[in-house]
Amino acid sequence: MKNRVQNTLLILLLSTFVLLAESTVNAVEVPLSANTVRTADGKFPAKYVPPLISNGSISLQIDPFGGQGNKHHAGIWKAGQRYAPPLANLIPFGWFEQKLSVNGKAVSSPLDGSQSLDPQKAVVSSLLHYPNLKQEITSFVPLDQDLLVIRHRFTSESKSALKIRQIFSWYLCAPGIKTALPDRMLGEWKKEKDRAVFDYTAYAYKIYRGKLALFADQAVQSDLRDPAADLVFECELAPGSSKEIVYYITMIDSFTDLRLAAQDLKYASRLNKQIESVLREGYDSLLNRNIKAWNDYLSESSADIPDQSIQRMYNTGQYHLRINATKWSFPVGISPRLWNARFFGWDEMFCHQGLLTCNHIAIARRCPDFRKSILNKAKFRVAHYGRDEKYGARFVWEALEDGVEGAPPGFWNDHIFDTSNIARSAWTQYLYSNDRDWLKSTGYPLILETARYFRSHWVYEDSNGEMYIGKCTDLERLGPARDRPFLTTCGAIYTMRAAAQAAKILGSDPEEAADFQKTADKLIESLPHRDGAYIGYKNCTEYTVAALAGIFPYDIFDGSNLLQKNAVYKFVREGRANGNMYPKGNSVCPWYAGKMAAALAFLDDRKEPVQLLRDAARTCGDFGELFEINEEKVSMKPWFTTASGNCVYAVNQMLIHCFENEIRLLAGSPESWKDLSFDLPAYGGIMVDLKLEKGKLTRLNLRARSDQIQSKVLVLPASVLEGVPLDPSSILKKEIKEDKVRLTFRIKKDLCLLKK
């Protein structure tokens, strides 16, 4: 806790925006850990992007003025409700704004103000100063219901009475439009008691039916002017007094588990029950309950490090990964600007591993569970007239919720490397959870079919017995049809090895498992290389991040393979010009920086990873959010979840990572990090609780989820154990080699490795 407080204070001191003194009024809801940006004369800072609030179902961005004035980042979006392919765009559910007048005179631009995002409580707050009036706006979306909560508090700073009139308008239109309903949506606003309700039917990819409601926690006037609804709030403020109002937007629909519920009209009664429940519970209770839900999520792990810029990026990254977790899996984002919440088998794995290595086991599991739910469609795609034989499964490039292709035509449809990421999500889910039942029911079938796909469709064998992956479309920058592609081959090796290991654990398919293992071993022999290093594909002359693949994302090598090690350092040293997935920009984009940092941490590099993550942190937006690319002249795709997943994962890998039965601690953290702590997971369902003070271990405890006896090896830098007494009863063997200490131990439930 001490480190965390110091961290947040330093963040504020280094921030380019200074908190207004008045923001301490909101200290309960906007703590020092918040990211804060200042506005002046209604102007945004350069490259300002509104903070994102979501619960993985409804998603939106809100500006400092409590509205959605920036049409490029406006709109309320609902995961899963979309139009038909080939574009499969999300259906817009409108946007909102406020209009304010004081003593009959309209006010728009504040004199000054600030906006904050607290990623640990999922609260966005604004503090605005108008002549003689202070306005505080607090917004959040509860994790457990599709509800937007926006509280406005007005405080008089005048010596005379103020008459306040506020109009809160919800335009049920596409962003920037005020005159027409979204395409293929029917319905109209109606007054029901003290609220505005919209009963809609959207004839889109499915037929979606539901009710939308705009209401407040006190008496307001409602004006309906299709396609908009207004709530009008009026009050009089005595000098120095305050009044507040809470606006709610809620959405109830019949879209459940991909099944059309045309005859199910229960959403109407559900709406009324939800409104009654919300008003009965009230703002404070809703906020406190949501804060508790976020605390429960964040308390599943911890990582406090001494680098404030990376810590800020890490904290916002964990927030970002959770709000992007739909009930299916993890899209790149729930908005039109981020591929309309379609699911990339490639990208979702990076989100999965960020969540998984933060011990968010249940949330992470949504990714492989989703892929298992659409496995039959992926199998049918490559089957021989639908026959259930050993052809495997090939998933589409951008899956919709039912497994149908949502991507427009393009060479990306020919990618196959996403297949191995889908397998990796399933295999690592088992490795960290140690859930054998889940492996049997979900993980293994998924891994098996992806391995079968590689084996039946892509492994070629020469007359001399050499096996290799034929021409295919590899990473974007490499273009289509590359012979013996390094990344795809590493992914195939990883997938077949995982299938062989999972089969052995379950006692299944012994002959097929043996063939997978043999094929994987033969494929390693065919990996393309030149001048002592692996290269991107046969005869490749360019530097590519794909050359990291045998370490990250597929740890098929343990770090001692010189061809792989040299390939990693060649790219780090000379390939930074290819540090974006597109031929744009001139630096390393943050999700590539995360890839590189994770790979280098695996190689026990204690210098480069922190530099790469500092570079990534410098590209963060005003609230610690990451972009796909964010340079001076090239800026695109803010709130890019893949980058968040990679950078969160890279931080965790610097602190703790695993290979087979080894748990490697602090292998990628710089030696200058003398004071840190973490409580993070390792393979086998084991949690490692470590604290470092002045460069020495003061706490090293392990906890296992089950009573199963496991044998493991801890690997640590020797320097952190100098003069530190170990508990000999907990350690079977101690080895010291060069600058590393290896501690062999068995764990059943709990284990303390330091003397008390």
Side-chain angles (χ1 to χ4, degrees), residues 382-488:
V382 294
H384 185 210
Y385 295 108
R387 295 170 184 164
D388 191 10
E389 298 179 14
K390 295 181 180 181
Y391 298 107
R394 183 182 181 186
F395 292 87
V396 297
W397 180 239
E398 297 178 38
L400 304 185
E401 292 74 18
D402 57 2
V404 168
E405 178 65 85
F411 77 94
W412 45 82
N413 294 112
D414 296 321
H415 287 320
I416 61 169
F417 55 76
D418 57 313
T419 304
S420 45
N421 274 18
I422 291 167
R424 188 179 191 276
S425 295
W427 182 231
T428 54
Q429 182 73 31
Y430 166 71
L431 291 176
Y432 279 99
S433 68
N434 203 31
D435 187 340
R436 191 177 183 279
D437 291 338
W438 180 87
L439 178 67
K440 182 178 181 179
S441 66
T442 303
Y444 179 60
L446 198 55
I447 299 167
L448 176 64
E449 296 301 339
T450 52
R452 283 174 171 172
Y453 172 65
F454 279 123
R455 185 68 180 94
S456 64
H457 283 71
W458 291 101
V459 176
Y460 292 79
E461 187 171 2
D462 283 346
S463 57
N464 61 5
E466 182 184 12
M467 291 184 175
Y468 60 93
I469 299 292
K471 278 189 175 181
C472 67
T473 302
D474 214 52
L475 275 180
E476 281 83 352
R477 281 191 77 140
L478 299 180
R482 297 301 185 185
D483 193 19
R484 306 194 188 203
F486 183 73
L487 181 140
T488 301

Side-chain angles (χ1 to χ4, degrees), residues 321 346-355 421 425 552-553 591 595 641-642 644-646 649:
L321 291 172
W346 173 251
D347 290 73
E348 69 186 1
M349 185 277 289
F350 298 113
C351 302
H352 173 267
Q353 67 183 9
L355 288 162
N421 274 18
S425 295
F552 181 84
W591 70 302
K595 290 181 182 182
T641 322
T642 313
S644 294
N646 265 358
Y649 176 76

Side-chain angles (χ1 to χ4, degrees), residues 54-59 77-80 146 253 323 325-327 334:
S54 177
N55 60 359
S57 178
I58 63 170
S59 182
W77 309 98
K78 187 83 161 62
D146 288 347
D253 59 66
I323 65 174
T326 75
K327 66 182 179 181
I334 308 171

Side-chain angles (χ1 to χ4, degrees), residues 140-386:
F140 64 94
V141 174
L143 278 176
D144 62 351
Q145 55 186 316
D146 288 347
L147 177 72
L148 170 62
V149 182
I150 308 176
R151 188 194 67 178
H152 292 256
R153 177 188 289 160
F154 300 97
T155 301
S156 171
E157 296 180 330
S158 173
K159 295 181 180 179
S160 58
L162 299 179
K163 290 185 177 180
I164 306 299
R165 177 181 170 87
Q166 182 189 38
I167 303 175
F168 186 98
S169 302
W170 183 7
Y171 294 91
L172 198 55
C173 314
I177 297 175
K178 293 187 175 183
T179 56
L181 288 172
D183 189 29
R184 300 182 187 178
M185 181 181 284
L186 300 178
E188 61 180 351
W189 286 104
K190 295 180 181 178
K191 291 184 180 180
E192 292 186 8
K193 299 179 182 178
D194 55 353
R195 65 197 67 143
V197 176
F198 193 91
D199 196 342
Y200 76 92
T201 302
Y203 296 93
Y205 183 42
K206 310 287 184 182
I207 300 177
Y208 309 106
R209 291 181 170 87
K211 279 182 176 284
L212 316 173
L214 172 62
F215 61 104
D217 68 343
Q218 55 188 279
V220 292
Q221 175 187 337
S222 59
D223 293 330
L224 308 182
R225 46 189 180 92
D226 288 329
D230 300 334
L231 296 186
V232 182
F233 171 66
E234 296 179 322
C235 68
E236 185 168 319
L237 292 177
S241 66
S242 299
K243 289 190 178 179
E244 64 182 50
I245 181 171
V246 183
Y247 297 103
Y248 299 99
I249 288 177
T250 190
M251 308 169 74
I252 297 290
D253 59 66
S254 60
F255 188 52
T256 304
D257 296 333
L258 307 178
R259 291 187 294 271
L260 177 64
Q263 305 303 317
D264 178 13
L265 300 181
K266 292 180 181 179
Y267 55 81
S269 61
R270 286 179 11 229
L271 176 74
N272 291 329
K273 288 180 180 178
Q274 185 186 38
I275 292 174
E276 292 170 4
S277 173
V278 166
L279 293 174
R280 184 170 57 251
E281 187 170 3
Y283 172 83
D284 289 334
S285 179
L286 282 167
L287 177 63
N288 290 334
R289 187 157 55 82
N290 197 54
I291 289 174
K292 182 183 182 304
W294 275 93
N295 182 66
D296 291 344
Y297 164 75
L298 292 171
S299 65
E300 291 178 330
S301 66
S302 66
D304 289 297
I305 58 176
D307 189 297
Q308 309 315 307
S309 64
I310 298 176
Q311 183 78 62
R312 174 177 181 255
M313 177 175 65
Y314 183 88
N315 292 346
T316 300
Q318 274 216 74
Y319 164 80
H320 191 193
L321 291 172
R322 179 62 185 89
I323 65 174
N324 194 60
T326 75
K327 66 182 179 181
W328 297 277
S329 184
F330 317 124
V332 179
I334 308 171
S335 81
R337 295 174 65 84
L338 292 167
W339 295 277
N340 282 282
R342 299 189 289 267
F343 301 97
F344 293 79
W346 173 251
D347 290 73
E348 69 186 1
M349 185 277 289
F350 298 113
C351 302
H352 173 267
Q353 67 183 9
L355 288 162
L356 192 62
T357 57
C358 286
N359 196 44
H360 306 311
I361 302 295
I363 297 294
R365 182 178 146 174
R366 295 181 189 183
C367 171
D369 281 359
F370 167 64
R371 290 292 162 176
K372 174 61 164 55
S373 75
I374 59 174
L375 179 60
N376 285 338
K377 284 189 178 178
K379 290 172 62 178
F380 185 84
R381 186 181 178 196
V382 294
H384 185 210
Y385 295 108

Side-chain angles (χ1 to χ4, degrees), residues 491-510:
I493 293 166
Y494 181 94
T495 301
M496 285 188 270
R497 280 185 173 178
Q501 292 177 56
K504 182 178 180 181
I505 291 168
L506 298 173
S508 302
D509 309 302

